[in-house]
Amino acid sequence: RAGHRRAGAGDPQGGGVELDTVAREREILKVAESIKDLQTVFKELAVLVIDQGSIIDRIDYNMEKAAEHTAKGTSELVKAEGYQRRSPAMCCIVVLSLLLALATLLLILKILGHVSV
């Protein structure tokens, strides 16, 4: 720089060259700063991508577990339905319903006069 100042001290264009050099240095520093900012943005983006990947992995795992639990729950419901149909209480309900239907039929027939009891 000192050489440029001396060479351009008497020359009007020499001062212009030094101003161009200073302007270029400023622009280079601005570009370097912008590159540092860009590097920071990419680092933060990398962290976000990693976090999002972890979240997606957890969602995938939970979806698989939900599907397993749903399948198991469905089979348990089928078993429970079978047990319920064969339970003594269900048999009692069926027998009582049949007796009630028979009593209602006999009552209707008696009212109509077809059966004498």
Side-chain angles (χ1 to χ4, degrees), residues 86-106:
R86 288 179 271 154
S87 72
M90 188 62 162
C91 292
C92 183
I93 290 171
V94 170
V95 168
L96 289 175
S97 297
L98 290 174
L99 288 174
L100 183 62
L102 181 63
T104 304
L105 181 65
L106 286 174

Side-chain angles (χ1 to χ4, degrees), residues 7-76:
D11 186 3
Q13 289 181 347
V17 170
E18 175 145 341
L19 290 176
D20 288 344
T21 304
V22 170
R24 274 193 214 132
E25 285 179 13
R26 286 184 189 144
E27 290 299 319
I28 288 172
L29 290 175
K30 286 181 185 178
V31 169
E33 189 65 31
S34 295
I35 290 172
K36 286 180 184 177
D37 291 343
L38 188 61
Q39 179 185 16
T40 302
V41 168
F42 275 111
K43 284 182 180 179
E44 291 172 359
L45 185 62
V47 169
L48 288 174
V49 167
I50 290 170
D51 289 345
Q52 292 296 319
S54 298
I55 291 170
I56 289 173
D57 288 343
R58 278 185 278 173
I59 290 171
D60 183 49
Y61 173 78
N62 288 335
M63 291 293 290
E64 288 177 7
K65 286 297 178 185
E68 290 174 13
H69 291 303
T70 302
K72 185 176 179 183
T74 303
S75 68
E76 292 295 324

